[in-house]
Amino acid sequence: MAVSSKNPPNFPPTSPKTGLKQRATKLIGPLVLLGPAGLWLLLLLVLPTLVIFQLSLVENIRPGDVVIPDGIANYLRVFDPVNLQVIGRSLFFAFGTTILCLVLGFPVAYWIAINAPSRWRNLLLLGFVLPLWTSSLLRTYAWITILRPTGVLNSFLGVLGLPALELLNRTPAVLIGMAYSYLPYIVTVLYASLEKLDRRLLEASADLGAKPTETFWKVTVPQARAGIAAGALLVFISSLGDFVDPELLGGASSMTVSRLIFNQFLGATQNWGFGSALSMVLIMGVSLAIALLLKYGDGRPSK
């Protein structure tokens, strides 16, 4: 017997309490899983950042002063020529380190992913990760031992009859130390991307008569573009806030944003407001780089 469309079957109505209970049940699971991490981030990231932002709006505040936000004078001070020079130096170190890591790390990652025997790949990657098991401070002091005027490098050059190099407390020493510190990161990221290369395209390019350089720029790089972006931005973000390498390898002439912030909080000036403003500028710059990393560094090869 056909059921008339004018009289649809009657279902028992859902009570408002039942609907609320179902929605609450759906929310409990995510809250239980994300609650501890969310509370941790709230207490140790969000709230401190808000406190720093509040302090950045107070001019010439010192420890113990009353916090009364009164303007953006600290942010305007960031644009003083001396401070812009420090920010420019930090950006120079970050860009220089990123380029060095790309130039040095890409051939290594490519060789491990494409040419190295599969049974040795994990061991080779472990060799690059091993330096990270030691303190960054110890690695920097090791470079001081190597690069100082009477260090290992100049002693070796003296044996060869070559002139000594003045590298310590100069820009090249900072770039060498920072590139060494962040090279393992970019090698591992690039390896993860290059391992997924479609080798049939490389073979097809060679069969069609393309030169190795053409294959590299037109086949390899487009496929590894996401990994290159991810590795480069990871190194840039890390090196932009590096404190140890510029301080120990560059000396007084290598003042960076991190050192300038340190001086405002723990140095003789004790200007927490300006230090907070510099911190917020650095946070915003790193946040922009992270946004680019999330957009272009998804780790999947580009087709």
Side-chain angles (χ1 to χ4, degrees), residues 162-235:
L162 298 175
L165 297 176
E166 294 292 336
L167 296 176
L168 192 61
N169 296 329
R170 297 176 184 269
T171 297
V174 177
L175 293 176
I176 290 172
M178 293 176 69
Y180 174 79
S181 297
Y182 301 114
L183 187 60
Y185 296 105
I186 201 167
V187 168
T188 52
V189 172
L190 289 175
Y191 169 79
S193 180
L194 292 169
E195 190 184 25
K196 303 173 185 177
L197 284 179
D198 190 346
R199 303 192 184 189
R200 295 173 299 177
L201 296 179
L202 301 178
E203 296 173 357
S205 177
D207 292 340
L208 293 174
K211 298 179 181 179
T213 53
E214 293 177 335
T215 300
F216 175 77
W217 289 110
K218 296 182 179 179
V219 179
T220 303
V221 171
Q223 289 190 85
R225 183 172 55 192
I228 294 172
L233 287 171
L234 178 62
V235 171

Side-chain angles (χ1 to χ4, degrees), residues 82 85-90 92-93 166-175 243 245-257 259-260 263:
V82 175
Q85 184 179 4
V86 173
I87 295 174
R89 186 181 297 113
S90 299
F92 171 76
F93 285 150
E166 294 292 336
L167 296 176
L168 192 61
N169 296 329
R170 297 176 184 269
T171 297
V174 177
L175 293 176
F243 177 84
D245 290 310
E247 179 68 16
L248 296 180
L249 296 175
S253 61
S254 296
M255 173 74 74
T256 59
V257 174
R259 177 64 185 180
L260 187 58
N263 289 343

Side-chain angles (χ1 to χ4, degrees), residues 88-192:
R89 186 181 297 113
S90 299
L91 291 173
F92 171 76
F93 285 150
F95 279 114
T97 303
T98 303
I99 293 172
L100 277 176
C101 286
L102 276 175
V103 172
L104 297 174
F106 195 96
V108 174
Y110 183 88
W111 182 82
I112 295 176
I114 304 299
N115 297 326
S118 57
R119 64 180 181 274
W120 293 105
R121 289 175 186 171
N122 291 335
L123 186 61
L124 291 170
L125 287 175
L126 179 63
F128 274 90
V129 175
L130 275 177
L132 299 179
W133 295 6
T134 61
S135 169
S136 60
L137 187 62
L138 292 177
R139 298 198 302 269
T140 303
Y141 274 114
W143 276 111
I144 293 176
T145 304
I146 295 172
L147 299 177
R148 64 186 180 184
T150 58
V152 176
L153 178 60
N154 284 329
S155 298
F156 179 71
L157 293 176
V159 171
L160 298 178
L162 298 175
L165 297 176
E166 294 292 336
L167 296 176
L168 192 61
N169 296 329
R170 297 176 184 269
T171 297
V174 177
L175 293 176
I176 290 172
M178 293 176 69
Y180 174 79
S181 297
Y182 301 114
L183 187 60
Y185 296 105
I186 201 167
V187 168
T188 52
V189 172
L190 289 175
Y191 169 79

Side-chain angles (χ1 to χ4, degrees), residues 261-280:
I261 293 173
F262 174 86
N263 289 343
Q264 304 307 313
F265 284 98
L266 300 176
T269 56
Q270 290 284 302
N271 188 345
W272 284 19
F274 180 54
S276 298
L278 286 170
S279 300
M280 289 304 303

